[in-house]
Amino acid sequence: MKNKFPKIRDKKLILPETSRTFEGFEFYPHEDTWQISDLSQKKYFSFFELSCYCTKQLVLEFKYVIIFFLERNSVSHAANLYNRYLHFIRYFQKEIELIDKISPEMVISYKSTLDKNTDWYLGILRILFEKWNNLGLRSIDHEVINLFSDIRIKGNKKGDAVRTMDPEKGPFSEIEIQSISANINGAFAEGRISIEEFLLVMLTIVFGVRPKQLASLKIKDLSVFRAENGATVYTLNMPRAKQRRSNSRAFFKTRSLIPEIGKLMEAWTNQLPSHIEGSGIPAPELPVFPNEGNPMPPNLQHHATADELALRITQVCNSLEITSERTGELIKINTSRFRKTVGTRAAEEGHGELIIADLLDHSDTQNVGVYVEATPAMAERIDKATAMELGPIAQMFMGEIIINENDADRGQDPSSRIGNPSIGNVGSCGKYGFCGALAPIACYTCRQFQPWLDAPHEELLETLLTERDRISKQTNDSRMTSINDHTILAVADVVARCKAMKDHHGEYNG
């Protein structure tokens, strides 16, 4: 139970010797620097700089208020208050020798330096100063609180990146997200990324979860059920984030995992206890995504922070150097864009605010309206010229072009031929075993596919484009129209590569 913060007006302010954050991390208020961790981040609160601008009493009171927020809210929230106050105080460092009190004049002067992009700073300061005053501390002029009642503060503007489909900050296009998924799958199949990295990225792509939710996961959150028919069902109790007045593992949402991801999750969590040797923690309580060097609260020992996982996800994706068909440059990837993509795709499929809020794990619908308000963009027309231009940029084709069937990995096996009666054979499958994918449509985005140089790839491209045009006219449904777009671009990529090979080596004559 947290210590009650009494009002201390007309009493001497004394800081406690030790305190604990909301998640249970212990720190020492009398020190000038606090190094504090929770599942969001590792954060330094340095009060030495403030002592250069403020009186000892003002620094002492500010510490007291920050302790209040650290004991009741996330480290991220307290750090935001700390940073905005530091920015506020720095503005007056040359005007006032030592600040001993926060006055209305200071707030008005500071407000004049803000613009439409930074006006929200005042909203953070209002939270800080109102609590400062409510705790009975002396260094906030009561007129400051009255002033904030009269000031109209614009909120931090949200939603523009979604509304405009910003190519750097907004949701990924369908082609971009398909390309990211294909490259991640390929990198894992080739051993270029670890099972842990693969799971981090795929859980983010599929569920649009916040990094803090991934950081909160423990082995016991994965459930494996063996059904009577022999099938295995995998579910994940995903900890909820941003739930006010609750710790990071107070509430959960159960998410179903596809078998491919579930099997990998099971394999990874089975090997984790040996990975974190000598921890003394029961296996079910171990983190799914660990970092053994982090100082963390007792119930979160060995957990990585959200910041660390977000950085890993970004680094893994960026290492694949995936090009955007919209910009012709490398896709700018961060975890926020995956969340926006999940919300945007749900809206385009016709889901309402309640469903989208549930998918994104919002407690209400106030922040998801932008997905519904933004009119789902109709699939742009893709003709042959467009496909030939975008195909090589999107790089959907993951396999290897070969001269003819004799060069295929299974060239002596007639069952490896890929094609259909209308266009004939287009290549060979290098995979041994049954594949349930629809050939040859699905093959062009499979790294096991080996298209032949002189096969009728261009005819298949024409067929796919004709079918796309037919669906567009009949359904007026952007999702249905674009369902094969990544395949179209993969085929176009093959056509372009075959042409380049022929131009380089001369026409192949058999």
Side-chain angles (χ1 to χ4, degrees):
M1 184 175 180
K2 302 299 179 186
N3 294 329
K4 183 178 179 181
F5 264 65
K7 289 191 176 183
I8 57 171
R9 190 170 284 119
D10 300 325
K11 298 179 182 179
K12 185 177 180 181
L13 173 59
I14 301 175
L15 299 180
E17 292 297 322
T18 63
S19 186
R20 289 185 180 273
T21 66
F22 188 70
E23 293 280 6
F25 186 92
E26 187 176 61
F27 65 101
Y28 304 95
H30 286 276
E31 294 181 353
D32 286 332
T33 301
W34 306 343
Q35 180 184 350
I36 299 177
S37 296
D38 71 355
L39 282 174
S40 296
Q41 58 187 193
K42 287 186 286 188
K43 181 64 183 176
Y44 289 89
F45 293 79
S46 176
F47 299 94
F48 177 77
E49 182 181 356
L50 284 172
S51 65
C52 300
Y53 312 141
C54 308
T55 61
K56 289 183 178 180
Q57 179 66 25
L58 192 60
V59 174
L60 188 66
E61 291 188 14
F62 179 58
K63 276 187 170 184
Y64 191 76
V65 181
I66 292 299
I67 292 170
F68 177 91
F69 283 106
L70 282 170
E71 288 192 357
R72 288 157 176 76
N73 301 91
S74 69
V75 173
S76 299
H77 182 56
N80 198 18
L81 294 167
Y82 168 87
N83 289 330
R84 297 279 60 83
Y85 179 73
L86 188 60
H87 186 266
F88 172 79
I89 289 297
R90 281 172 176 165
Y91 173 68
F92 300 101
Q93 60 179 303
K94 294 181 180 179
E95 297 184 17
I96 306 174
E97 186 173 344
L98 272 182
I99 303 169
D100 63 351
K101 197 168 188 177
I102 307 300
S103 67
E105 291 76 19
M106 291 173 67
V107 175
I108 293 171
S109 178
Y110 179 71
K111 183 180 186 303
S112 68
T113 69
L114 305 178
D115 56 28
K116 63 180 181 180
N117 294 318
T118 56
D119 191 61
W120 62 273
Y121 291 1
L122 284 177
I124 305 300
L125 289 175
R126 176 166 60 186
I127 294 171
L128 176 68
F129 292 157
E130 285 181 351
K131 180 54 62 180
W132 197 321
N133 180 70
N134 290 339
L135 289 174
L137 300 166
R138 304 172 182 174
S139 299
I140 293 288
D141 191 317
H142 188 71
E143 289 304 313
V144 170
I145 308 304
N146 294 335
L147 175 63
F148 273 112
S149 299
D150 296 331
I151 294 177
R152 182 178 179 182
I153 302 173
K154 296 178 182 178
N156 191 4
K157 198 168 185 179
K158 301 178 180 179
D160 279 359
V162 173
R163 292 186 184 94
T164 61
M165 284 294 290
D166 189 297
E168 295 187 359
K169 299 179 181 179
F172 299 113
S173 70
E174 189 65 23
I175 293 171
E176 287 170 341
I177 196 65
Q178 291 285 352
S179 185
I180 293 170
S181 299
N183 276 275
I184 289 294
N185 277 291
F188 178 61
E190 295 173 359
R192 290 185 283 125
I193 63 174
S194 68
I195 182 173
E196 183 182 17
E197 291 168 331
F198 177 78
L199 290 171
L200 273 171
V201 177
M202 291 309 297
L203 289 175
T204 304
I205 290 175
V206 173
F207 297 119
V209 290
R210 300 178 180 91
K212 185 176 180 180
Q213 294 173 270
L214 297 175
S216 305
L217 279 172
K218 293 181 180 289
I219 289 178
K220 66 181 181 181
D221 296 326
L222 176 68
S223 297
V224 183
F225 303 96
R226 314 293 180 188
E228 293 182 1
N229 63 0
T232 305
V233 179
Y234 300 92
T235 61
L236 193 61
N237 281 335
M238 186 67 72
R240 302 190 67 188
K242 286 199 169 184
Q243 304 306 307
R244 291 184 179 181
R245 303 297 174 126
S246 64
N247 64 46
S248 55
R249 291 186 52 81
F251 300 98
F252 299 83
K253 274 189 178 293
T254 300
R255 302 297 192 191
S256 297
L257 300 176
I258 61 173
E260 291 79 5
I261 300 296
K263 289 177 184 177
L264 289 174
M265 282 287 292
E266 185 178 20
W268 171 241
T269 54
N270 283 342
Q271 72 181 55
L272 271 173
S274 61
H275 181 71
I276 311 176
E277 293 181 344
S279 67
I281 301 173
E285 297 293 332
L286 289 172
V288 174
F289 301 110
N291 184 337
E292 298 177 60
N294 275 349
M296 295 292 277
N299 64 322
L300 297 172
Q301 288 180 20
H302 301 296
H303 283 253
T305 68
D307 282 357
E308 290 167 342
L309 295 186
L311 180 61
R312 287 188 67 187
I313 291 167
T314 301
Q315 288 176 334
V316 168
C317 293
N318 286 339
S319 70
L320 303 178
E321 297 186 343
I322 307 167
T323 303
S324 167
E325 87 286 354
R326 290 191 285 173
T327 65
E329 300 176 354
L330 296 181
I331 301 175
K332 295 187 182 300
I333 297 175
N334 58 59
T335 54
S336 175
R337 296 194 69 187
F338 288 113
R339 283 182 60 75
K340 292 169 184 173
T341 302
V342 170
T344 299
R345 294 175 97 183
E348 289 178 349
E349 290 171 2
H351 296 298
E353 292 184 3
L354 288 174
I355 298 297
I356 297 172
D358 181 68
L359 287 172
L360 297 180
D361 192 31
H362 287 291
S363 297
D364 52 50
T365 61
Q366 63 177 336
N367 291 319
V368 301
V370 62
Y371 296 106
V372 178
E373 293 166 8
T375 304
M378 289 300 298
E380 295 182 8
R381 177 177 175 81
I382 296 183
D383 54 22
K384 187 174 180 180
T386 305
M388 292 301 297
E389 179 182 354
L390 295 181
I393 295 175
Q395 297 177 325
M396 287 291 186
F397 173 62
M398 309 292 288
E400 176 190 8
I401 296 172
I402 58 177
I403 300 299
N404 55 41
E405 186 176 11
N406 293 332
D407 297 323
D409 291 342
R410 298 169 56 204
Q412 305 306 313
D413 183 0
S415 68
S416 69
R417 295 170 184 164
I418 299 295
N420 63 33
S422 62
I423 63 169
N425 293 324
V426 292
S428 300
C429 176
K431 182 177 181 180
Y432 289 88
F434 175 75
C435 175
L438 179 64
I441 304 301
C443 299
Y444 282 81
T445 54
C446 173
R447 64 184 50 257
Q448 302 293 337
F449 181 47
Q450 296 177 306
W452 305 339
L453 182 61
D454 266 344
H457 307 297
E458 199 160 351
E459 287 84 340
L460 177 60
L461 177 60
E462 296 278 8
T463 300
L464 290 172
L465 289 170
T466 299
E467 178 65 9
R468 186 187 195 280
D469 192 48
R470 183 190 68 79
I471 293 174
S472 177
K473 291 177 180 177
Q474 286 188 354
T475 67
N476 201 36
D477 185 329
S478 61
R479 298 291 295 179
M480 287 296 295
T481 299
S482 60
I483 195 168
N484 279 329
D485 280 1
H486 57 295
T487 300
I488 289 173
L489 297 188
V491 177
D493 191 13
V494 170
V495 172
R497 294 191 194 196
C498 287
K499 184 178 185 303
M501 287 176 66
K502 291 176 181 178
D503 289 346
H504 183 69
H505 297 291
E507 289 290 338
Y508 176 64
N509 295 314

